[in-house]
Amino acid sequence: MLAEVGYEERLVGYEMSPATGNAPRSLYSFREVCDFLRVGNPEDLLTKGSHSSIGYLDLEELRRWIGSVLGDRDLAEAIGRELEAHKTYRERVDAARELMRQRLEQCRAALSE
Amino acid sequence: MGKILRVNLTEGRISTIETKQYEQWGGGHGIGSALFWELCKDKAISGFDPRNVVTIMTSPLSGTLVPAAAGRTEVQGIGVQGYPTEWFTRSNFGGRFSAMLKYAGWDGIVIEGKADKPVWLNIVNDHVAIEDAKWLWGLDTWETQEEIWRAVSGSRDFRDWIAAGAGRDGGRTTQRPAVLTIGPAGEHLNRNASLVHDAGNGAGQGGFGGVWGAKNLKVISVLGTGSVEIADPNALMEARRWFASRQYNVDAPAKQSPKDNFSFYGIITRSPAFGPLIFNMTEPCRPQGCAGCYIACRRRTQSGLGNESQCVESLHYSVGGPQTQWRATDLLQQCGLNVYDVFVTDYLRELYKMGVLGPGKQINCDLPFDRYGSPEFIETYTREISYREGIGQDLGEGIIRAAKKWGRLEQDLNSGLLAFPNWGYHEHYDPRLEVEWSYGSILGDRDINEHCINWYVHWMPTVTAMVGEEPLYSAQEMVEIISQKLVPYKDPMMLDYSADGIYAEGKAKMIAWHRHYTRFYKQSMAFCDWAWPDLINVNVPGLEGTTPEAEPRFINAVTGKNLTFEEGLETGRKIWNLDRAIWALQGRRRDQEVFAGYVYQVPTKAPYWLPVYENGQWKYSTNEGRVLDRARFEEWKTRYYKLEGWDPSTGWPTRPTLESLGLGKVAEELERHGKLGK
Ligand code: SF4
């Protein structure tokens, strides 16, 4: 689950910063995706340095990637349910992020990190 | 108007040029282009050729109290970054160099030839000397400046007076010299080497660091103790007071930032001292700005990390944690590298992941990708490029030429893996959507880096969306206000970014206005890109910015002239045509003015806010799924060439157009070379 995937299996997101427009970013691991996916808020913008833009992902693509590339069908299905339940991009991201955060914690605990 | 310093490095000769002869060009870029036109006899040479002529120009506003216009310096000449042709190009940097040059009595500097050994130029008022720079060669840009400060000022305390000349009236100052220098990257003739001044002012695009390296020129140092004469000081102070009353957002801001110190927001509300865009410093720091600027958009920090760097340079290594990012940015400035060319670690990592780059791979590379995100990775990467070690031997040629050597250029430009849409320059704003930027770039010589319209059409809706707020003004309000300022056209459709609007007549007018405005007001009069034009101001009722009233008001107060806004635009058109003539002599053809393949082939995939006019209404749209249509863009080019009075089949300026601008001699020269439009 936490291993890096290969080039063909990567997930491409878009770093949306007003300073440079939208820049594609390749993501090679679940950790990188968890770190990347975010919707801006003033708090993040102030405290996260260059990570102060929107980390944009097509959320349907994210769901498929987690299910097929990482093979975590349970998480993919749970994210799918949240995407159905929420309307705006911000709400969907917040819900998906929370599920992903929990899964990352579980993985870390299993690895005793 | 005073004099321009002319330095021939081959002959070791120093002379002066009366600025008055070039008054019709305004200052800065206009004079630089005119000087280049006259002094660079063969314009089709390489930027590394000793015959290349480099100009470093101030403007009539440099060193004065005109807000956000006194501290910028324009650099021109044949650059070495452009691809496939090393176009005549420009770069620009802030700080205190232009003001100091004026205080020393100079309007600009022309560099010709090549020294036979490393030299530096020592300017103290009207004393100018070409000096041996062997002791400086090999030092980074910060070490070099400290050495020069010691050499020119002696080891004095920063509170001490420095005597600029002998005797009581020789001039005294507490300032250290303003130094413009190259680092190791320039010494190694990198095409991505910059010129650096103070901690974080860089002229990056164009690769002028490499051009200086080829000329064996390490440093220009200037110390001035004079002042700038103002034609009407009262009018200048009145203009400042008027501007401050409309502009500043300190005591009772109409729009509160959702958070103190929030620089992204500050730039759209025009708060003074809004701070750097990317670095969100949590440590004590204070605002820092170019000479005479009220915005002071950079910071000096308690730790000293990231001092004065405020924009894309701070993205040099955005995968690291904040401390690593700041350190990486400082390293970039110390080495004298242009971030917009070396900002490709993600691309290299893609090649590594594909298995084509790495130790013993098709592209041999020893960068520690297993530690991507760590300080070690970026230190190794930056050092290898700057000193041309390892993969840096290729990357010092610039990423485009490196990719060409690796046999990857075409496929990676087509897929967008290398997002370099025009002339070998990195994508800045989306070329498929924000076309005032991309069209302006492809019709010119580089990524334009001019935010005139971008603040309003893209930044504002993007920043407010980022923080979950409603836009500060509606698309309809924005279009109504801005279009009235886009004289002489005043056409709202200039601001339509819809799938049809970007190919329409309105967009041709938009590009023409933008090219002419920036050539005169930004690059020749040196109004800073971060502040001008002032089209919308959220701090006043009605949201009206001070453009087009402010620019001529300030210029006239300083120069005593009676310039109108439209006359400034007309001078901008003249400069734009002269530049266009230079590119024609360098081999520019219409069929070269096309974008990299991905711009036409790969649809946009993420939201990108811009105003569109659809179904009789203005709105901000996210514009997903767009590509640029090749045939429609070609039709648009024809429309634009006709609007400018250029030959639609070649894109070259015609005799009637050039003669109407007083450029009959330019027409003759183009005709002699078979490059005059029909
Ligand atoms: S806005 Fe920033 S870059 Fe522009 S003149 Fe002011 S301090 Fe310099």
Side-chain angles (χ1 to χ4, degrees):
Chain A
M1 182 74 187
L2 297 187
E4 281 199 5
V5 300
Y7 177 73
E8 296 297 339
E9 287 144 353
R10 77 202 192 281
L11 185 66
V12 178
Y14 292 84
E15 190 99 50
M16 296 168 63
S17 163
T20 52
N22 293 349
R25 273 277 308 280
S26 288
L27 305 164
Y28 288 97
S29 71
F30 185 58
R31 270 185 226 265
E32 277 185 40
V33 172
C34 291
D35 200 33
F36 177 80
L37 179 64
R38 64 194 175 273
V39 182
N41 63 57
E43 203 58 53
D44 279 3
L45 287 163
L46 273 173
T47 54
K48 295 199 173 164
S50 292
H51 297 279
S52 61
S53 45
I54 296 175
Y56 176 85
L57 285 171
D58 178 327
L59 297 175
E60 269 305 318
E61 217 173 298
L62 169 71
R63 185 187 62 74
R64 280 195 297 273
W65 185 78
I66 288 175
S68 58
V69 176
L70 299 186
D72 189 340
R73 294 219 181 86
D74 289 348
L75 179 58
E77 278 168 23
I79 289 176
R81 283 193 295 276
E82 293 294 346
L83 299 187
E84 288 278 308
H86 293 95
K87 259 211 194 115
T88 69
Y89 181 74
R90 173 180 293 268
E91 287 165 356
R92 287 175 169 170
V93 166
D94 287 343
R97 262 172 63 139
E98 178 53 24
L99 291 173
M100 289 160 65
R101 188 194 62 76
Q102 287 172 17
R103 179 63 96 230
L104 191 59
E105 290 284 298
Q106 290 161 355
C107 293
R108 282 195 179 133
L111 292 172
S112 316
E113 273 188 3
Chain B
M1 295 228 146
K3 55 192 195 298
I4 295 164
L5 177 62
R6 183 175 180 184
V7 179
N8 187 312
L9 294 172
T10 309
E11 297 165 11
R13 187 157 40 86
I14 292 163
S15 56
T16 58
I17 297 169
E18 289 304 312
T19 314
K20 189 94 189 138
Q21 304 172 50
Y22 296 92
E23 200 172 356
Q24 55 170 312
W25 299 96
H29 187 101
I31 295 185
S33 290
L35 285 165
F36 179 86
W37 176 264
E38 282 175 30
L39 300 178
C40 186
K41 298 300 177 202
D42 181 356
K43 294 164 184 69
I45 56 174
S46 162
F48 290 126
D49 191 301
R51 291 170 294 166
N52 187 10
V53 175
V54 175
T55 57
I56 298 133
M57 292 300 305
T58 68
S59 103
L61 312 184
S62 300
T64 69
L65 293 174
V66 177
R72 306 289 316 181
T73 310
E74 181 84 355
V75 181
Q76 289 158 268
I78 298 173
V80 289
Q81 186 181 352
Y83 179 87
T85 306
E86 297 174 1
W87 298 121
F88 168 69
T89 191
R90 56 169 293 276
S91 196
N92 191 288
F93 64 96
R96 57 199 178 90
F97 189 90
S98 62
M100 193 64 96
L101 198 57
K102 293 282 278 193
Y103 300 154
W106 302 99
D107 292 327
I109 304 169
V110 183
I111 304 290
E112 298 166 280
K114 172 186 177 175
D116 56 9
K117 58 179 194 310
V119 295
W120 67 287
L121 193 61
N122 185 4
I123 305 168
V124 179
N125 291 333
D126 53 1
H127 300 286
V128 181
I130 302 171
E131 305 203 10
D132 190 330
K134 205 166 151 218
W135 58 290
L136 298 167
W137 209 254
L139 300 183
D140 74 31
T141 64
W142 292 2
E143 291 164 342
T144 303
Q145 294 183 75
E146 285 175 10
E147 287 298 320
I148 295 286
W149 291 343
R150 267 193 284 277
V152 176
S153 319
S155 294
R156 289 186 175 79
D157 185 275
F158 273 82
R159 291 159 295 191
D160 288 345
W161 288 96
I162 301 159
R168 207 184 63 124
D169 299 323
R172 295 195 308 158
T173 179
T174 56
Q175 297 289 299
R176 292 298 179 266
V179 180
L180 185 63
T181 181
I182 61 171
E187 293 177 9
H188 287 83
L189 308 188
N190 279 25
R191 290 181 187 270
N192 40 29
S194 59
L195 304 173
V196 174
H197 158 57
D198 282 350
N201 301 285
Q205 299 282 49
F208 284 103
V211 173
W212 277 33
K215 290 183 174 299
N216 269 327
L217 177 62
K218 175 75 175 172
V219 165
I220 297 179
S221 164
V222 56
L223 188 68
T225 58
S227 57
V228 179
E229 202 173 317
I230 305 295
D232 189 343
N234 279 340
L236 177 58
M237 292 313 291
E238 271 310 307
R240 272 181 65 96
R241 270 206 287 272
W242 161 76
F243 185 78
S245 72
R246 295 184 56 82
Q247 193 70 19
Y248 295 178
N249 178 16
V250 179
D251 297 328
K255 293 281 177 200
Q256 288 279 12
S257 168
K259 214 59 184 164
D260 283 349
N261 226 2
F262 180 9
S263 56
F264 272 115
Y265 209 90
I267 196 159
I268 55 174
T269 56
R270 299 295 173 94
S271 311
F274 59 71
L277 292 173
I278 314 296
F279 289 147
N280 293 286
M281 292 293 179
T282 43
E283 64 176 283
C285 49
R286 63 182 170 84
Q288 195 274 342
C290 304
C293 183
Y294 74 105
I295 295 180
C297 68
R298 307 89 173 277
R299 288 179 195 179
R300 288 232 172 87
T301 61
Q302 190 176 45
S303 66
L305 285 173
N307 271 351
E308 296 180 10
S309 289
Q310 52 84 271
C311 193
V312 184
E313 63 271 30
S314 34
L315 289 173
H316 177 40
Y317 194 48
S318 58
V319 291
Q323 292 280 330
T324 308
Q325 289 173 33
W326 305 336
R327 182 69 200 106
T329 300
D330 284 346
L331 196 58
L332 181 95
Q333 304 286 21
Q334 286 168 278
C335 290
L337 278 172
N338 170 17
V339 69
Y340 247 135
D341 195 81
V342 302
F343 171 36
V344 289
T345 52
D346 272 5
Y347 170 67
L348 299 178
R349 189 181 181 219
E350 305 278 38
L351 300 182
Y352 170 76
K353 282 282 183 183
M354 282 179 204
V356 298
L357 179 146
K361 298 281 177 172
Q362 184 195 328
I363 305 164
N364 190 29
C365 170
D366 60 1
L367 291 175
F369 281 101
D370 54 335
R371 276 171 285 148
Y372 194 63
S374 69
E376 296 84 337
F377 179 89
I378 200 65
E379 279 164 18
T380 310
Y381 173 74
T382 310
R383 196 197 58 244
E384 287 199 359
I385 299 183
S386 305
Y387 292 90
R388 296 270 193 149
E389 294 164 358
I391 190 85
Q393 290 169 48
D394 291 344
L395 294 174
E397 284 297 298
I399 188 62
I400 289 291
R401 286 173 173 86
K404 170 106 178 147
K405 182 182 168 198
W406 301 336
R408 298 206 54 92
L409 184 61
E410 204 164 325
Q411 75 186 91
D412 292 346
L413 286 178
N414 283 337
S415 69
L417 201 61
L418 258 183
F420 282 61
N422 34 251
W423 309 129
Y425 283 80
H426 201 295
E427 179 179 311
H428 202 146
Y429 291 97
D430 200 304
R432 295 155 284 201
L433 302 170
E434 203 176 334
V435 297
E436 95 284 354
W437 200 286
S438 55
Y439 292 2
S441 299
I442 200 71
L443 293 162
D445 50 307
R446 50 164 282 182
D447 174 73
I448 55 173
N449 203 10
E450 295 158 352
H451 296 75
C452 315
I453 302 295
N454 165 266
W455 299 134
Y456 311 99
V457 296
H458 176 63
W459 264 71
M460 188 283 292
T462 302
V463 171
T464 47
M466 282 167 74
V467 296
E469 274 196 350
E470 286 297 309
L472 299 179
Y473 33 86
S474 70
Q476 171 87 29
E477 278 177 299
M478 183 195 71
V479 169
E480 278 170 8
I481 296 168
I482 294 184
S483 61
Q484 288 311 299
K485 295 177 181 294
L486 301 179
V487 290
Y489 306 111
K490 297 192 176 183
D491 179 355
M493 302 319 284
M494 292 164 81
L495 296 158
D496 179 15
Y497 288 84
S498 67
D500 290 328
I502 60 170
Y503 307 110
E505 183 70 19
K507 206 51 76 181
K509 294 176 191 165
M510 182 70 250
I511 305 305
W513 186 90
H514 197 205
R515 305 314 320 129
H516 306 163
Y517 179 89
T518 52
R519 273 300 187 261
F520 181 69
Y521 287 107
K522 282 198 172 165
Q523 291 135 24
S524 299
M525 302 311 286
F527 282 99
C528 179
D529 182 54
W530 287 88
W532 301 94
D534 178 28
L535 298 175
I536 288 189
N537 180 353
V538 294
N539 301 317
V540 293
L543 305 175
E544 288 252 1
T546 57
T547 294
E549 188 183 345
E551 293 94 330
R553 188 167 170 180
F554 282 118
I555 293 170
N556 293 336
V558 171
T559 62
K561 291 191 176 21
N562 201 13
L563 180 95
T564 65
F565 186 74
E566 289 84 344
E567 285 166 350
L569 289 177
E570 192 61 4
T571 304
R573 186 165 80 87
K574 179 172 170 165
I575 299 165
W576 180 232
N577 272 272
L578 179 61
D579 287 355
R580 190 80 188 170
I582 295 170
W583 298 323
L585 291 177
Q586 289 189 288
R588 177 71 63 91
R589 301 180 313 267
R590 174 185 170 132
D591 63 0
Q592 290 180 309
E593 292 185 338
V594 291
F595 296 100
Y598 81 97
V599 178
Y600 303 105
Q601 294 162 19
V602 181
T604 58
K605 291 207 178 99
Y608 192 102
W609 287 270
L610 285 168
V612 297
Y613 188 69
E614 282 171 0
N615 305 320
Q617 280 193 327
W618 286 99
K619 61 172 187 181
Y620 296 113
S621 167
T622 52
N623 301 299
E624 282 146 90
R626 284 228 232 136
V627 291
L628 198 70
D629 184 287
R630 204 180 280 272
R632 295 186 80 185
F633 175 58
E634 287 302 314
E635 282 166 25
W636 180 88
K637 267 162 61 180
T638 300
R639 199 170 273 142
Y640 176 77
Y641 292 159
K642 285 185 180 165
L643 182 69
E644 289 283 11
W646 299 343
D647 181 342
S649 63
T650 58
W652 298 334
T654 61
R655 181 179 287 282
T657 299
L658 292 170
E659 284 182 347
S660 72
L661 291 162
L663 297 175
K665 288 209 167 112
V666 173
E668 280 162 29
E669 183 74 4
L670 290 185
E671 191 159 46
R672 257 198 302 281
H673 287 83
K675 306 276 186 179
L676 185 62
K678 302 215 165 46

